[in-house]
Amino acid sequence: MYIFSFYLYFVRLFLVSKYFSMKRLLGIGLLLLTHWASAQNQLIRIATRNVSLVYGTNKDGRLIQRYFGQQLQPGNTDTLSKSTQEAYITAGMESLLDPAIRIVHNDGNPSLELKYVTHESAQKESDITATSITLKDPVYPVTVILHFEAYYKEDVIKAWTEIKHTEKQPVLLTAYSSSMLHFSAAKYWLTQFHGDWAKEVTMVEQYLTTGMKILDSKLGVRANMQQSPMFLLALNNAADENNGEVLAGTLAWTGNFKFAFEVDEHNALHINAGINPYASDYALKPNEVFTTPAFIFTLSAKGKGQASRNIQHWALNYGILDGHTPRLTLLNNWEATGMDFNEQRLTSLFGGAKKLGVDLFLLDDGWFANKFPRNGDNAGLGDWEPNTTKLPHGLGYLVQEAQKQGVKFGIWLEPEMVNPKSELYTQHPDWVLRLPNRAENYYRNQMVLDLTNPAVQDFVYGVVDKTMSENPGIAYIKWDCNRMLTNTYSPYLKEKQSHLFIEYTRSLYKVLERVRAKYPHLPIMLCSGGGGRTDYGALKYFTEFWPSDNTDGLERIYIQYGYSHFFPANTISAHVTNWGKQSLKFRTDVAMMGKLGYDIKVDDSTEKELLFSHDAVETYRRISDIVWYGNLYRLVSPYEQNRAVFLYTSDDQKKAIVFNYLMNTRRNDVFNVVKLQGLDPKKNYRIKEINLFPGTASTLNLNQLYSGDFLMNVGINLIPNKAKPLTSNILEITAE
């Protein structure tokens, strides 16, 4: 049977021999014959500690997903699965599903068939196994390689794809997913994270019915402004923190993304994850390799909480820059001065940073440009020289003055953007992304530079390099990006406008690679008008990100809760500001569950407020290891009650920190005891409330020893005699 099938394929090759030389025809035929036997009944296992993803081949030599789920016992039980779903569905053939890949060949044929050729698996590190599966079209010279990295301890898998060909002219790629996954369950529940400026990562869960559900972005730059590139999927039943089978997935790409969830007529679910191909047909040249971004995912059998911890620990070890390096606390000047400042005003603020006890003073927007001074957001962007009226002695003077007062100095940059009212725009109008024959469109009075142009890449890199080189001692950068792509055309790309969305992101990474080659460990915050860039494609170059411009303490509980599903606490910059009507203690307690910073007028603080803030910084330093690197348990969701409770535990289960927030409580609210998690049931623990405001004492009656078993199975009351709205507690739990 197999020999007869081979004969039929060779006949097909002969029929298209006008396109192929006889030498190539024979070569392809020999390749098919060589691999025909080995392609039958192949089993390829990608496994972590608790998860197994198994591929095989069918009688036609195509790759199928045999199994994806929890590790089964005994070890090979997962191979008994009878699934026949093709792993990476191609367009133009017989499948009725949304394809992972679509190619139009030189002869106009819009089909692709992929057959298994070979696979390789190797141990990259003790924790990482790399697997590649090579697939080829039996008629056209197209190769697709599916890549996987399995992170054993973290139960995380990273998947991406390489596409290449040797046709005589470019082929047209119109779909190019990073990965496909297939499920067969009774029901599916999807959680998405969406929002807008100051409303980031709002969580919505819905039941998936037959048809297609798409989560995507078409904004290009600041791509995550309305939809975050991450999701949770519960199988069979709606999951909670501790129960249910949950897939958590995210795309490592700082540009347009697309997650497509298709439930077919047999109630099977098919997920396509990758770059959004919207307006992005890609002409792939012969021998060019198109590499998709990585789809990063984990499968938890213990609810959303375990899925989060898997991703967080992977991120600390592999996903973010210097994940285990201490982060800097800082004071930002924005709330105190805006763009209205001078040297004297700024240097006086250094003293406030010293009084707070933070590590660094960050100078935000407004310090640059002379011909078109940056006194508002309508001018100067692109002209990155210090404004001589505001800063007659330049940035170097500020660096030195900050150091004299015992604090480091950081700077704000937005190097990808330009104001039309700037010298840069006047000198290089061809460097701007804008439509010909149309009126210019402004958002926040600015436009985006054409980063696909190598000259612009040099300029953007030069902004960073010049700022750092001319001002030795700058210890931190806030990299901002306040505009998305609209009304967009690249003068540099000319007839290849459909490459723009992809090439912009690739070009950004080229610049960031150069920055990191020269400044490998400089702390840099990723900011984009709030949380417009929050993805693991960028975070390998950054130490943290700005989750939202909304720093209202109450709103931040929801925002930080949402981000915590995919990001560790040391990446989520959380600043104490004057937004909101809550007390200083409440706003501080909220910020301390992320990467603490301040953006306040220190001089306006009372003596007690200043003492409290200084002590809070010291307390944060003491407990930060547990918050940054510990295991997070979301004990009470703000979406379910008028309170929220978070717990971080150390790996050795000797210490834990509880953050307890009462929100807009009402008279009839009933708050039950809270059962802790992640402790050692055999250990005894003492609980102490910390971060108290001067002159106050704890109102929680917890001053005794508790066994871990009691704390986890009986629980403790975290509500004093009377629940007061917008109050909070931080508890330190220590094993004795």
Side-chain angles (χ1 to χ4, degrees):
M1 178 179 176
Y2 295 147
I3 298 298
F4 179 70
S5 297
F6 169 75
Y7 171 77
L8 290 178
Y9 275 109
F10 199 81
V11 169
R12 289 171 61 189
L13 286 169
F14 180 77
L15 292 175
V16 294
S17 60
K18 288 182 180 180
Y19 179 78
F20 294 98
S21 67
M22 184 55 67
K23 183 177 180 181
R24 175 172 289 180
L25 184 74
L26 291 172
I28 295 173
L30 289 172
L31 179 66
L32 281 170
L33 185 60
T34 300
H35 291 288
W36 193 264
S38 66
Q40 306 308 314
N41 300 316
Q42 286 288 337
L43 284 176
I44 307 161
R45 179 178 286 102
I46 293 130
T48 65
R49 189 202 310 260
N50 295 300
V51 177
S52 179
L53 174 59
V54 180
Y55 293 103
T57 52
N58 63 15
K59 62 182 178 59
D60 297 317
R62 294 187 186 179
L63 188 73
I64 61 172
Q65 179 186 303
R66 292 283 297 270
Y67 177 82
F68 179 38
Q70 302 303 311
Q71 289 275 17
L72 302 177
Q73 297 299 326
N76 292 328
T77 304
D78 51 21
T79 63
L80 299 177
S81 171
K82 301 299 183 182
S83 172
T84 59
Q85 181 58 64
E86 193 168 355
Y88 194 74
I89 295 172
T90 62
M93 300 299 287
E94 67 278 0
S95 177
L96 304 181
L97 298 173
D98 190 42
I101 184 170
R102 182 177 184 271
I103 285 180
V104 180
H105 301 281
N106 289 175
D107 61 1
N109 191 323
S111 68
L112 182 69
E113 184 178 17
L114 293 176
K115 289 182 175 288
Y116 169 87
V117 176
T118 187
H119 73 276
E120 296 179 355
S121 187
Q123 200 77 21
K124 285 184 61 176
E125 299 177 19
S126 60
D127 186 44
I128 307 174
T129 302
T131 301
S132 63
I133 307 172
T134 300
L135 312 173
K136 290 188 177 182
D137 190 305
V139 175
Y140 291 91
V142 176
T143 300
V144 173
I145 304 175
L146 306 182
H147 290 276
F148 303 88
E149 285 184 352
Y151 298 81
Y152 182 80
K153 291 184 296 185
E154 293 81 6
D155 275 330
V156 166
I157 297 173
K158 184 165 71 171
W160 71 98
T161 299
E162 288 184 340
I163 305 165
K164 54 187 175 181
H165 74 95
T166 57
E167 296 192 22
K168 294 180 179 179
Q169 299 296 325
V171 302
L172 190 65
L173 280 175
T174 65
Y176 29 79
S177 293
S178 297
S179 180
M180 281 197 83
L181 292 174
H182 308 281
F183 298 90
S184 181
K187 293 182 179 180
Y188 309 97
W189 297 87
L190 175 67
T191 301
Q192 68 184 84
F193 301 78
H194 73 95
D196 202 340
W197 179 81
K199 297 183 291 185
E200 289 87 348
V201 293
T202 300
M203 295 177 63
V204 175
E205 186 173 47
Q206 67 181 110
Y207 168 62
L208 292 180
T209 58
T210 303
M212 182 74 77
K213 169 73 175 182
I214 292 176
L215 308 178
D216 71 346
S217 168
K218 303 179 182 71
L219 304 181
V221 182
R222 198 177 172 189
N224 306 352
M225 177 178 172
Q226 296 177 335
Q227 182 74 47
S228 295
M230 55 195 189
F231 67 86
L232 301 172
L233 178 77
L235 304 175
N236 295 306
N237 298 288
D240 60 24
E241 282 295 307
N242 303 306
N243 302 284
E245 192 168 21
V246 177
L247 174 76
T250 185
L251 190 71
W253 182 247
T254 317
N256 291 347
F257 60 87
K258 178 183 176 182
F259 301 124
F261 304 85
E262 184 174 9
V263 180
D264 67 22
E265 295 304 315
H266 303 287
N267 202 48
L269 172 65
H270 314 277
I271 302 176
N272 255 320
I275 296 173
N276 191 346
Y278 165 78
S280 297
D281 290 355
Y282 193 90
L284 184 66
K285 294 181 292 187
N287 296 307
E288 178 187 358
V289 178
F290 186 97
T291 304
T292 72
F295 176 51
I296 300 159
F297 59 96
T298 185
L299 188 66
S300 161
K302 298 179 181 178
K304 299 175 182 177
Q306 187 60 55
S308 294
R309 290 187 287 277
N310 291 348
I311 295 288
Q312 290 165 356
H313 287 305
W314 172 85
L316 288 169
N317 294 330
Y318 305 103
I320 58 176
L321 183 69
D322 295 335
H324 290 277
T325 299
R327 300 319 197 219
L328 299 172
T329 55
L330 61 84
L331 172 66
N332 194 339
N333 72 296
W334 184 254
E335 293 291 332
T337 68
M339 298 185 191
D340 184 15
F341 54 79
N342 54 33
E343 276 182 353
Q344 292 72 30
R345 179 70 178 119
L346 291 178
T347 54
S348 71
L349 297 178
F350 297 163
K354 181 65 174 177
K355 291 176 184 177
L356 284 175
V358 297
D359 302 304
L360 179 135
F361 178 87
L362 173 63
L363 175 58
D364 213 294
D365 195 357
W367 58 268
F368 52 91
N370 288 290
K371 184 175 181 179
F372 303 100
R374 183 69 168 175
N375 296 321
D377 66 10
N378 64 337
L381 201 58
D383 301 342
W384 296 101
E385 71 281 346
N387 180 274
T388 55
T389 300
K390 295 179 181 180
L391 307 178
H393 298 97
L395 291 178
Y397 170 78
L398 295 178
V399 173
Q400 295 172 4
E401 289 300 305
Q403 291 173 343
K404 287 179 183 177
Q405 299 197 46
V407 293
K408 298 177 181 179
F409 184 85
I411 195 71
W412 178 94
L413 296 172
E414 193 176 4
E416 300 165 67
M417 303 288 159
V418 64
N419 286 127
K421 194 175 180 180
S422 68
E423 291 185 83
L424 178 65
Y425 179 90
T426 302
Q427 296 166 3
H428 294 286
D430 58 317
W431 281 10
V432 180
L433 292 171
R434 59 178 180 175
L435 286 169
N437 307 318
R438 301 286 185 188
E440 290 184 343
N441 176 263
Y442 308 134
Y443 182 90
R444 202 174 179 259
N445 298 303
Q446 64 192 60
M447 303 177 76
V448 183
L449 293 174
D450 185 1
L451 205 57
T452 69
N453 186 335
V456 176
Q457 295 173 31
D458 291 341
F459 170 79
V460 173
Y461 169 76
V463 170
V464 179
D465 188 41
K466 182 181 179 184
T467 302
M468 295 296 300
S469 299
E470 293 183 354
N471 306 284
I474 288 181
Y476 185 95
I477 288 176
K478 178 182 178 181
W479 183 303
D480 212 340
C481 170
N482 280 294
R483 197 206 196 285
M484 69 297 294
L485 287 184
T486 64
N487 303 66
T488 304
Y489 178 94
S490 164
Y492 178 78
L493 290 178
K494 299 178 181 177
E495 74 280 358
K496 292 186 177 181
Q497 294 304 310
S498 65
H499 288 204
L500 175 56
F501 285 123
I502 293 172
E503 291 300 339
Y504 188 97
T505 303
R506 287 176 172 175
S507 299
L508 173 64
Y509 293 160
K510 289 178 183 177
V511 172
L512 294 173
E513 288 283 354
R514 293 173 66 183
V515 170
R516 283 308 178 192
K518 188 167 184 180
Y519 308 99
H521 301 292
L522 174 72
I524 307 181
M525 177 202 289
L526 177 63
C527 181
S528 187
R533 280 177 169 171
T534 49
D535 66 88
Y536 284 112
L539 279 174
K540 66 181 179 181
Y541 305 107
F542 293 83
T543 50
E544 59 219 61
F545 67 89
W546 185 238
S548 178
D549 284 344
N550 186 345
T551 53
D552 178 293
L554 178 61
E555 298 292 336
R556 266 303 181 104
I557 292 174
Y558 291 93
I559 292 169
Q560 292 169 200
Y561 178 86
Y563 280 118
S564 74
H565 287 78
F566 283 86
F567 300 99
N570 69 342
T571 65
I572 305 172
S573 295
H575 290 184
V576 180
T577 75
N578 291 318
W579 279 46
K581 299 179 180 179
Q582 309 91 32
S583 68
L584 174 63
K585 173 175 166 52
F586 185 92
R587 288 177 277 126
T588 304
D589 286 354
V590 171
M592 285 176 70
M593 64 168 286
K595 203 232 75 173
L596 179 66
Y598 287 82
D599 197 338
I600 60 174
K601 298 179 180 179
V602 179
D603 291 343
D604 290 349
S605 302
T606 67
E607 184 177 344
K608 283 189 175 181
E609 287 173 338
L610 186 57
L611 176 61
F612 168 76
S613 295
H614 179 274
D615 290 347
V617 172
E618 291 301 310
T619 298
Y620 183 74
R621 280 201 184 94
R622 185 169 58 79
I623 68 173
S624 59
D625 278 4
I626 304 172
V627 176
W628 293 344
Y629 314 128
N631 298 297
L632 170 63
Y633 297 87
R634 294 178 293 264
L635 303 181
V636 179
S637 166
Y639 285 90
E640 297 175 358
Q641 298 184 28
N642 282 325
R643 67 167 171 172
V645 184
F646 302 81
L647 168 69
Y648 295 88
T649 65
S650 61
D651 282 340
D652 61 11
Q653 299 178 309
K654 291 182 179 180
K655 289 191 175 183
I657 304 294
V658 173
F659 293 90
N660 177 46
Y661 307 111
L662 291 181
M663 303 188 316
N664 287 321
T665 56
R666 304 177 66 184
R667 180 179 295 275
N668 294 328
D669 282 338
V670 176
F671 299 116
N672 296 320
V673 297
V674 175
K675 296 179 182 180
L676 307 188
Q677 297 178 43
L679 303 177
D680 186 337
K682 297 180 180 179
K683 285 185 169 66
N684 288 322
Y685 294 90
R686 189 169 298 280
I687 302 176
K688 178 184 178 182
E689 183 171 0
I690 58 176
N691 214 45
L692 292 164
F693 200 79
T696 65
S698 177
T699 57
L700 302 176
N701 299 313
L702 299 172
N703 189 25
Q704 65 183 77
L705 278 177
Y706 299 88
S707 72
D709 201 22
F710 179 92
L711 292 173
M712 292 190 291
N713 289 294
V714 178
I716 53 176
N717 180 22
L718 295 180
I719 306 298
N721 294 330
K722 183 179 180 181
K724 294 182 180 180
L726 301 177
T727 56
S728 56
N729 314 88
I730 301 180
L731 307 177
E732 185 174 20
I733 302 175
T734 307
E736 292 190 355

